[in-house]
Each structure stands twice: as structure tokens, then as C-alpha cells.
């Protein structure tokens, strides 16, 4: 089997973060005392990464037999929606978000040691945001999709709200999980400033954008619309894809400080072998869905000599996948909420505002529809085309599979065997790693 060299790429990517403080999950090993110390805890960029196995399990990318065999065990199992995901091993998709939670709790517990100031208020707001973001990412993989009618009786995730690492925390209900996320975001919204120089530190627009993402997952469209509007009022810029170099190896800037103007919060997914060319290929139906004049086809994708189509359009500006927040997502969230309440004109206005920046000049014709249902279908279709490889497709599949009009059955064929993931399957919720089960005694997800 042909081997691909990716370790030098990994080394370069990871070495960028050498200046950040390495947060240990034991308060005795990290004793910050100053504002700068606490900020360094939160600036440990790699400990803020989002779960990534959902991207492997989703329907945006596929693999050849050779590519599939080159992956690690957990990646192959996630791709096949297998019952045994870890083979006794742990999971960075579980561990890294809880590392972010620990860092946030460390800051929140030490906040009273700091002199009141705009900087300390910002710091506390950041901590609430990071904890909410980590809890949300965990809930999208390790808890069932949100159903208002049953959320109080379904299991969510352990809500670790202190740095007491020896304290066992049971799984909260799904309702309490989401209420904690929203509570943290409400706290953050009242503390962080309207703008942030470094985009790995959230602005107030980013807080409202994450709030809208959470409320969309809950099916709370009224409040998702309000949160999206609050975010866009603060920051509604869009990149004009006519100004991008479509021939560039990577389409967007690669720095948290210099990220493109749409980025509200710069973050990446955990690293897996899958994420590096040529370890995957873009799903052919997704690639074919971009029409004439749509610049996303050239800004998001490139074709290798062997015909493999790979993704180059990460807003992280690197081979790492972007999992942060950006204004294009917020426009699509608000457009969906408008369509669902019958405000067809407003939904199309947001959709056309976005798409006008995505098509070659002179090629875009504003979309028109006859009713709100058609508008909703357009918005859902554009979410898949616009928000490629951001970890959002898995969350969309989970929530949209509850609606007859948007149910999607996923299929893979590997070694002549077909694998199927049906709408509403329990496999849309990942198993909790064995090490966490044995250490805490919490309940496993059904498989």
C-alpha cells in the first residue's frame, strides 16, 4: 500500500503553539496569579480544539479503500458508525473539550483574585464562552439530539463546573446541559467587548453567534433568530469571493489575528489522519451541487493529479479544519428561522446577501420562491454547500432527520459490504470512551 508523508506537516502545525501555556488537568500543577497568567491558560490554543470525529462520520467526504486502510482504528470505526469506536482507547474528542472546561473553571475560580477592570471582565467572559463552546461540542457527539418534549428525561453530559478533578460528576439531563450552555453564554454576552483583536478570543458578536447555533440545535427558532440578529448587528461583514485567488493552495489567511473578516471566533478541530490530503476525498454529489458561476467550487476545492477532489477552503487557513464561528453561518441561521416562521422575503434577503458574495460578478441572479417552504429548502441546501467541513453538517443531520422533508440516509460501501446510517439512529450519538466509564461510573449511550 502506498504511504503518504504527513508527519512533517503535523509537526509544523503543532509547533505554532509552543508559546502557549500547557494546561494540566490538576490545579496543583498550574497556579496562575496574574491577569496575564489566566489569559495564557485560555490562550492554550490546542486545548480549545473542537471534536472532529463527527466530520469523519458525516456525508461531506468519502474514502477509497486505500485511504480507508491508512487511517487509525478510531477513524475507520467512526466512518462506519461502528458500535466499538475506541477498542479500549480514550478519545481526544472527549478529553480535549474537558481540558477546555478545566481551563475555563480555573479562570472562573480565580477571578475574584483580580482587580476589577475591563480586561478582567473580558477574561471572565472568555472563560464562560469557552466552557459553553466545549459543552456544546460534547453534546453534539455524546448526547442525543435535543427534543424539547423529552429533554428532561434524556441524558446529557457531565457538567464539570469546578476544577476538582477527583470529584465524580454524573451526566446531567439533556435539558440541564443546554440550559447550562445558554447560561454561560448569557454571562459571556454581558462581559466581553464588542471587538477582539485576536479572533481566538471571542467578541460579543461571536457569543451571540454561538448562542444562535445552540438555539438552532434546540429547535428554538424564535430565539435563534434574535441571537443571530444581535450578532449580525455587531458584525455582518462577508468575504467577496471575487477577491480571492482561486488558484491558491489555501484560500484563506492562517492566523487568529489575520483571519478573514467573516471569522467571529477562530477555532479548529482535533487533528486526525483523515484530515490530511490525500486521506479523504470530497463527496461527488456535494462537489457537483455548485452551479455555474459559483466561486465556492474553486475556492473550497482542488483536484489532485489522480482526480481526487480535496478541500482547501478552511477558514482556519491551514490543513486544519475550521470549527469556529463566522458571519456566513449566522446569515444562514437567521434565514432558516425567517423561513420557518413564514417570513419568506426576509429569508431570501439574507440568502441573497450571502450568495451575491459567492458568485462570479454578473453571474448571480437573486433567488425567488413562491412560499416559505421553498425558501426553507433553499436555505437547508445552502447550509450544506456553504458550511463545508466545519463540524456543522453532523449537527444539522441530527436535528433535520426529525423532519420528514429533510431525512437523510447515509451509506458507505467498504470491502464489498454496505453500511447504512438511518435517520434517528442511536449511532448519531457517539459512545462515551471506556476509560471515562470505568473511572466515573457514568452511564453509556445506547448502541
Amino acid at each position: 500500500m502506498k504511504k503518504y508523508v504527513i508527519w512533517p506537516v503535523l509537526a509544523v502545525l503543532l509547533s505554532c503553539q509552543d508559546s502557549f501555556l500547557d494546561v494540566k488537568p490538576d490545579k496543583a500543577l498550574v497556579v496562575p496569579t496574574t491577569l496575564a497568567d489566566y489569559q495564557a491558560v485560555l490562550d492554550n490554543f490546542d486545548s480549545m480544539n473542537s471534536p472532529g470525529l463527527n466530520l469523519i462520520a458525516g456525508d461531506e467526504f468519502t474514502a477509497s479503500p486505500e485511504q480507508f486502510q491508512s487511517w487509525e482504528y478510531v477513524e475507520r470505526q467512526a466512518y462506519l458508525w461502528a458500535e466499538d469506536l475506541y477498542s479500549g482507547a480514550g478519545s481526544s474528542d472527549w478529553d480535549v473539550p474537558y481540558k477546555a472546561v478545566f481551563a475555563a473553571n480555573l479562570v472562573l475560580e480565580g477571578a475574584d483574585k483580580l482587580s476589577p477592570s475591563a480586561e478582567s471582565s473580558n477574561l471572565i467572559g472568555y472563560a464562560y464562552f469557552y466552557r459553553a463552546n466545549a459543552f456544546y461540542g460534547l453534546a453534539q457527539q455524546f448526547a442525543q439530539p435535543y427534543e424539547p418534549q423529552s429533554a428532561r428525561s434524556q441524558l446529557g453530559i457531565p457538567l464539570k463546573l469546578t476544577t476538582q478533578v477527583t470529584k465524580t460528576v454524573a451526566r446531567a439531563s439533556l435539558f440541564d446541559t443546554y440550559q447550562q450552555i445558554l447560561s454561560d453564554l448569557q454571562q459571556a454576552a454581558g462581559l466581553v467587548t464588542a471587538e477582539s483583536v485576536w479572533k481566538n478570543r471571542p467578541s460579543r458578536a461571536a457569543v451571540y453567534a454561538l448562542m444562535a447555533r445552540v438555539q438552532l440545535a434546540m429547535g428554538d427558532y424564535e430565539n435563534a433568530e434574535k441571537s443571530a440578529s444581535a450578532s449580525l448587528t455587531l458584525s455582518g461583514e462577508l468575504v467577496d469571493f471575487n477577491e480571492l485567488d482561486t488558484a491558491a493552495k489555501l484560500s484563506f489567511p492562517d492566523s487568529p489575528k489575520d483571519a478573514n473578516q467573516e471569522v467571529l471566533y477562530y477555532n479548529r478541530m482535533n487533528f486526525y489522519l483523515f484530515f490530511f490530503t490525500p486521506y479523504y476525498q470530497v463527496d461527488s454529489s456535494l462537489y457537483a451541487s455548485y452551479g455555474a458561476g459559483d466561486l465556492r467550487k474553486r475556492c473550497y476545492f482542488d483536484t489532485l493529479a489522480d482526480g481526487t477532489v480535496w478541500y482547501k477552503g478552511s477558514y482556519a487557513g491551514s490543513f486544519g479544519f475550521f470549527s469556529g464561528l463566522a458571519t456566513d453561518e449566522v446569515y444562514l441561521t437567521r434565514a432558516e428561522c425567517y423561513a420557518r416562521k413564514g417570513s419568506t422575503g426576509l429569508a431570501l434577503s439574507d440568502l441573497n446577501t450571502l450568495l451575491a458574495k459567492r458568485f462570479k460578478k454578473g453571474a448571480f441572479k437573486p433567488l425567488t420562491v413562491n412560499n416559505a417552504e421553498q425558501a426553507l429548502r433553499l436555505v437547508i441546501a445552502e447550509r450544506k454547500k456553504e458550511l463545508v467541513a466545519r463540524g456543522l453538517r453532523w449537527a444539522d443531520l441530527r436535528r433535520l432527520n426529525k423532519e420528514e422533508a429533510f431525512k437523510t440516509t447515509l451509506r458507505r460501501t467498504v470491502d464489498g459490504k454496505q453500511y447504512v446510517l438511518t435517520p434517528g439512529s442511536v449511532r448519531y450519538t457517539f459512545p462515551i470512551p471506556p476509560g471515562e466509564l470505568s473511572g466515573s461510573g457514568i452511564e453509556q449511550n445506547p448502541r
Side-chain angles (χ1 to χ4, degrees):
M1 182 174 66
K2 183 177 178 181
K3 300 292 183 182
Y4 300 105
V5 179
I6 67 164
W7 294 114
V9 178
L10 277 169
V12 170
L13 286 167
L14 296 178
S15 66
C16 309
Q17 311 304 329
D18 287 346
S19 62
F20 291 136
L21 180 65
D22 184 18
V23 180
K24 304 295 192 299
D26 184 340
K27 195 162 51 174
L29 300 181
V30 182
V31 188
T33 57
T34 68
L35 183 71
D37 291 341
Y38 283 111
Q39 186 62 68
V41 170
L42 297 182
D43 282 343
N44 184 1
F45 192 58
D46 285 332
S47 72
M48 298 297 171
N49 284 351
S50 302
L53 287 175
N54 64 80
L55 186 63
I56 300 172
D59 63 351
E60 296 166 300
F61 301 104
T62 60
S64 68
E66 184 182 37
Q67 291 165 335
F68 177 80
Q69 291 302 325
S70 70
W71 298 345
E72 298 292 340
Y73 179 86
V74 67
E75 297 169 85
R76 296 196 302 271
Q77 296 297 88
Y79 185 74
L80 300 179
W81 316 298
E83 180 175 353
D84 173 21
L85 204 61
Y86 313 108
S87 188
S91 169
S92 60
D93 276 14
W94 179 273
D95 295 339
V96 172
Y98 275 116
K99 191 173 183 181
V101 169
F102 177 87
N105 288 336
L106 190 68
V107 170
L108 293 173
E109 289 177 3
D112 59 355
K113 302 174 186 175
L114 303 174
S115 300
S117 67
E119 291 78 12
S120 61
S121 291
N122 247 348
L123 180 75
I124 297 166
Y126 295 158
Y128 278 118
F129 174 91
Y130 292 135
R131 190 169 72 181
N133 191 51
F135 282 156
Y136 172 79
L138 287 161
Q140 295 314 298
Q141 288 197 178
F142 300 105
Q144 295 288 328
Y146 193 89
E147 289 274 11
Q149 299 84 356
S150 58
R152 294 179 187 274
S153 60
Q154 289 182 320
L155 287 175
I157 59 171
L159 297 174
K160 300 181 180 181
L161 304 179
T162 76
T163 56
Q164 298 178 38
V165 295
T166 58
K167 180 181 178 181
T168 299
V169 180
R171 295 179 68 175
S173 71
L174 195 60
F175 176 85
D176 287 342
T177 295
Y178 277 83
Q179 289 305 305
Q180 182 63 54
I181 294 168
L182 292 175
S183 174
D184 281 354
L185 290 174
Q186 290 288 358
Q187 293 281 357
L191 292 166
V192 301
T193 54
E195 297 183 0
S196 178
V197 174
W198 289 89
K199 291 193 174 184
N200 61 305
R201 300 175 184 175
S203 64
R204 193 175 304 140
V207 176
Y208 285 123
L210 181 54
M211 199 177 295
R213 180 186 287 183
V214 174
Q215 289 159 337
L216 193 71
M218 298 173 70
D220 184 359
Y221 303 115
E222 180 180 356
N223 283 312
E225 177 199 321
K226 292 177 182 177
S227 298
S229 292
S231 179
L232 291 171
T233 297
L234 292 166
S235 182
E237 286 190 88
L238 290 168
V239 175
D240 187 344
F241 278 28
N242 287 277
E243 298 174 0
L244 298 178
D245 179 4
T246 58
K249 193 67 175 176
L250 295 170
S251 299
F252 299 98
D254 65 350
S255 164
K257 187 173 183 179
D258 301 321
N260 77 71
Q261 63 263 39
E262 285 186 19
V263 173
L264 302 172
Y265 169 58
Y266 183 101
N267 198 21
R268 295 192 307 238
M269 293 181 197
N270 287 328
F271 292 106
Y272 289 97
L273 292 178
F274 166 88
F275 293 167
F276 296 89
T277 305
Y279 282 71
Y280 66 85
Q281 49 197 320
V282 175
D283 177 72
S284 58
S285 62
L286 171 61
Y287 186 66
S289 68
Y290 299 89
D294 193 333
L295 294 171
R296 290 175 296 188
K297 192 167 188 175
R298 298 175 63 190
C299 292
Y300 283 178
F301 310 110
D302 203 356
T303 305
L304 301 177
D306 65 359
T308 299
V309 178
W310 68 284
Y311 176 69
K312 68 169 188 175
S314 171
Y315 275 20
S318 69
F319 292 100
F321 284 81
F322 178 78
S323 60
L325 296 148
T327 54
D328 57 346
E329 177 193 347
V330 185
Y331 273 108
L332 286 166
T333 294
R334 189 170 70 174
E336 180 176 341
C337 295
Y338 281 148
R340 287 186 180 277
K341 77 173 186 179
S343 298
T344 306
L346 291 174
L348 285 181
S349 177
D350 276 351
L351 197 54
N352 287 327
T353 296
L354 171 64
L355 294 178
K357 300 290 187 179
R358 299 305 189 245
F359 277 71
K360 188 176 181 179
K361 287 191 181 300
F364 177 66
K365 296 180 180 179
L367 301 175
T368 59
V369 296
N370 295 321
N371 52 55
E373 180 183 350
Q374 291 178 357
L376 179 59
R377 288 182 179 276
L378 284 176
V379 173
I380 298 303
E382 288 302 328
R383 280 187 69 87
K384 184 176 181 181
K385 293 161 66 175
E386 176 69 21
L387 306 175
V388 179
R390 300 194 197 176
L392 296 173
R393 178 60 181 166
W394 186 253
D396 278 354
L397 286 167
R398 281 163 48 98
R399 69 184 181 88
L400 293 172
N401 275 335
K402 293 180 286 186
E403 302 178 47
E404 195 62 40
F406 299 114
K407 286 184 177 179
T408 302
T409 298
L410 306 189
R411 292 182 171 86
R412 318 251 201 238
T413 300
V414 176
D415 292 335
K417 182 178 179 180
Q418 187 175 79
Y419 298 83
V420 179
L421 185 64
T422 56
S425 169
V426 294
R427 302 295 172 87
Y428 269 105
T429 303
F430 285 33
I432 294 171
E436 182 65 24
L437 296 176
S438 61
S440 65
I442 61 175
E443 185 176 340
Q444 181 60 284
N445 289 317
R447 301 300 290 166

